[in-house]
């Protein structure tokens, strides 16, 4: 089942961003979502699409993001225009670099300085309706999460009664934009504003009626298969042991300063952050082999109750801003590896910018999961 809404394509449409110092089209475009939806609609035997969105309000978002950051996202554009900023949207002028800030007590005062405090790059343009769009993506993701939890309970029951084996776990997909995995608790960047996957994971952990017999919250394993490291999800959960965060990503690409295998979590979270940096020349066979090993060595031993996938297909060989050597034949295999975990799974859309092949690549991964 696919959860989406028209608002994902009508809101948050910046004209441009900056890549390698040059003004370029905004790659995180509404056309991406249209392309995926078109594919899913033509394969309606596999996919049921719903536009039902429940409103979970502010609280689940506040559990993950800081209030001053949320206030900033909500008001930045209006202030920006008042201060004479370009109508394309808010981008920072200076970013409080640690090499500078450790020498002073930088505190953002005007909008230009706030833009730097709350954003770490030039690929997260805040427009008039960006906060609404990000809010909408988070609410869609939460709607799917709540339904997955219901399906998960049914699945557990049928496992307990012996009615089925762990071979057909339920799976749901949140087809949303803007994406989320680069958004930290109080910094946007990399096309991401609110961290949809983190909000979903925290919501499951917070449900009082979802505590197991031992009184412990349900355990979540996040599997991030986007080409880029999910610095946001890593930061949000760095010092907790639930969720487990695992990521396979390019070793020497954006966001550049996170994603090393040495980043393993801290305190109670030590050992619950797993980064697998990969070479640019990673093929389908390489990718699936490494993913299977990640699942076997880290995800299975964790014994998660739920899996949440940060579903990026910018690993694709022809992606315009990223890409390994992964082909359209690779994605069903990746989906199949995830299915074999045998756990109720929520897929949440992250990156992927080769619009012509987004449908078959995303749809292929989901079909691989369905088996
Ligand atoms: N030379 C996501 O996939 N700029 N974000 C990349 C590469 C921003 C990617 C520059 C990429 C953000 C969700
Ligand atoms: Zn990405």
């Amino acid at each position: 089942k696919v959860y989406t809404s028209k608002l994902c394509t009508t809101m948050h449409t910046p004209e441009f961003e900056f890549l390698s110092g040059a003004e370029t089209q905004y790659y995180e475009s509404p056309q991406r979502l249209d392309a995926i939806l078109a594919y899913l609609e033509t394969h309606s035997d596999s996919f049921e699409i719903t536009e039902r969105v429940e409103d979970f309000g502010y609280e689940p978002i506040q559990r993950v993001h800081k209030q001053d950051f949320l206030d900033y996202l909500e008001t930045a554009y209006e202030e920006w225009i008042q201060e004479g900023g370009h109508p394309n949207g808010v981008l920072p002028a200076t970013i409080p670099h640690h090499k500078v800030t450790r020498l002073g007590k930088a505190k953002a005062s005007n909008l230009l300085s706030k833009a730097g405090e709350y954003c770490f790059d030039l690929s997260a343009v805040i427009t008039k309706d960006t906060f609404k769009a990000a809010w909408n993506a988070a609410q869609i993701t939460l709607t799917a999460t709540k339904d997955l939890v219901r399906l998960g309970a049914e699945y557990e029951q049928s496992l307990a009664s012996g009615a089925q084996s762990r071979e057909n776990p339920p799976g749901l997909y949140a087809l949303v934009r803007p994406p989320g995995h680069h958004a930290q608790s109080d910094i946007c960047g990399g096309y991401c504003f609110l961290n949809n996957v983190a909000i979903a994971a925290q919501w499951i952990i917070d449900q009082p009626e979802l505590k197991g017999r031992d009184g412990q919250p349900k355990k979540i394993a996040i599997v991030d298969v986007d080409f880029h490291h999910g610095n946001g999800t890593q930061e949000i959960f760095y010092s907790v042991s639930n969720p487990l965060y695992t990521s396979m990503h390019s070793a020497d690409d954006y966001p550049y300063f996170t994603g090393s295998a040495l980043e393993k979590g801290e305190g109670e979270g030590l050992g619950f952050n797993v980064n697998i940096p990969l070479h640019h020349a990673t093929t389908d066979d390489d990718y699936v082999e490494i993913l299977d090993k990640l699942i076997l060595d880290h995800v299975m031993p964790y014994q998660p109750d739920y899996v949440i996938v940060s579903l990026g297909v910018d690993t694709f060989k022809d992606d315009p801003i990223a890409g390994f050597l992964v082909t359209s034949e690779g994605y069903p295999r990746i989906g199949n590896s995830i299915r074999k975990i045998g756990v109720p799974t929520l897929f949440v859309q992250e990156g992927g910018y080769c619009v012509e092949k987004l449908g078959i690549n995303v749809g292929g991964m989901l079909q691989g999961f369905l088996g």
Side-chain angles (χ1 to χ4, degrees):
K1 194 157 171 181
V2 180
Y3 294 71
T4 191
S5 131
K6 288 276 171 300
L7 295 179
C8 294
T9 53
T10 56
M11 296 200 295
H12 181 62
T13 53
E15 302 265 305
F16 60 82
E17 61 175 305
F18 291 92
L19 282 185
S20 305
E23 188 182 312
T24 60
Q25 63 181 107
Y26 199 75
Y27 278 96
E28 200 286 285
S29 68
Q31 288 75 41
R32 300 172 57 245
L33 205 133
D34 288 332
I36 298 169
L37 196 58
Y39 180 93
L40 301 179
E41 277 168 349
T42 57
H43 294 76
S44 54
D45 43 330
S46 309
F47 305 108
E48 178 194 340
I49 298 163
T50 177
E51 293 208 24
R52 182 178 64 78
V53 185
E54 254 182 72
D55 186 4
F56 291 75
Y58 247 107
E59 224 226 289
I61 298 172
Q62 289 166 320
R63 292 284 294 137
V64 161
H65 293 287
K66 298 204 179 125
Q67 189 60 48
D68 59 331
F69 171 65
L70 295 173
D71 293 341
Y72 165 76
L73 286 181
E74 209 166 349
T75 57
Y77 187 78
E78 205 178 318
E79 248 184 82
W80 171 259
I81 295 302
Q82 276 165 16
E83 291 187 19
H86 192 288
N88 182 56
V90 185
L91 280 177
T94 59
I95 292 175
H97 200 283
H98 70 279
K99 286 181 184 169
V100 174
T101 52
R102 75 179 175 220
L103 300 174
K105 291 263 177 293
K107 190 84 192 107
S109 50
N110 63 356
L111 199 271
L112 265 184
S113 61
K114 274 193 221 160
E117 181 167 339
Y118 294 119
C119 183
F120 66 81
D121 73 357
L122 299 179
S123 291
V125 178
I126 301 173
T127 65
K128 196 179 181 57
D129 51 10
T130 295
F131 183 77
K132 278 204 185 105
W135 170 282
N136 174 59
Q139 302 296 343
I140 292 171
T141 306
L142 284 164
T143 303
T145 305
K146 187 174 169 187
D147 285 1
L148 185 74
V149 159
R150 191 173 37 73
L151 293 175
E154 288 170 21
Y155 179 66
E156 263 177 53
Q157 275 183 359
S158 73
L159 286 176
S161 70
Q164 71 166 351
S165 63
R166 288 209 159 264
E167 266 153 41
N168 290 301
L172 298 178
Y173 170 50
L175 172 51
V176 295
R177 64 175 289 279
H181 76 150
H182 295 304
Q184 300 190 179
S185 55
D186 62 353
I187 319 179
C188 61
Y191 309 141
C192 301
F193 304 89
L194 300 178
N195 194 317
N196 303 310
V197 162
I199 291 166
Q202 190 63 51
W203 185 85
I204 297 177
I205 292 167
D206 285 344
Q207 295 314 296
E209 67 275 20
L210 285 182
K211 302 266 154 78
R213 213 167 303 155
D214 53 358
Q216 294 301 306
K218 296 286 185 189
K219 281 160 65 180
I220 324 284
I222 296 170
V223 179
D224 190 332
V225 297
D226 189 279
F227 175 83
H228 305 101
H229 179 240
N231 60 290
T233 318
Q234 167 170 299
E235 182 257 354
I236 289 163
F237 297 124
Y238 206 59
S239 55
V240 294
S241 58
N242 186 20
L244 168 74
Y245 177 70
T246 69
S247 175
M248 289 169 58
H249 50 267
S250 174
D252 32 38
D253 219 298
Y254 183 94
Y256 303 108
F257 298 101
T258 64
S260 146
L262 298 173
E263 296 156 18
K264 294 175 193 251
E266 66 190 12
E268 190 198 306
L270 187 61
F272 297 94
N273 193 89
V274 181
N275 285 331
I276 308 204
L278 302 172
H279 194 270
H280 267 119
T282 300
T283 63
D284 290 350
D285 285 348
D286 300 336
Y287 198 95
V288 171
E289 187 183 317
I290 296 164
L291 175 60
D292 284 341
K293 187 166 159 48
L294 169 70
I295 289 171
L296 197 67
D297 293 352
H298 297 279
V299 178
M300 297 305 288
Y302 186 71
Q303 298 188 283
D305 298 292
Y306 294 94
V307 166
I308 305 182
V309 178
S310 266
L311 196 184
V313 289
D314 36 12
T315 47
F316 184 54
K317 64 180 181 53
D318 295 329
D319 193 279
I321 64 162
F324 294 132
L325 299 179
V326 176
T327 71
S328 296
E329 282 76 57
Y331 292 105
R333 296 173 60 191
I334 293 170
N336 187 250
S337 291
I338 295 167
R339 165 208 173 98
K340 284 188 288 191
I341 302 170
V343 165
T345 299
L346 175 68
F347 293 84
V348 182
Q349 188 61 45
E350 302 279 7
Y353 307 96
C354 180
V355 175
E356 311 80 70
K357 297 289 179 181
L358 270 181
I360 190 167
N361 292 346
V362 171
M365 195 188 302
L366 298 173
Q367 282 167 322
F369 178 86
L370 294 172

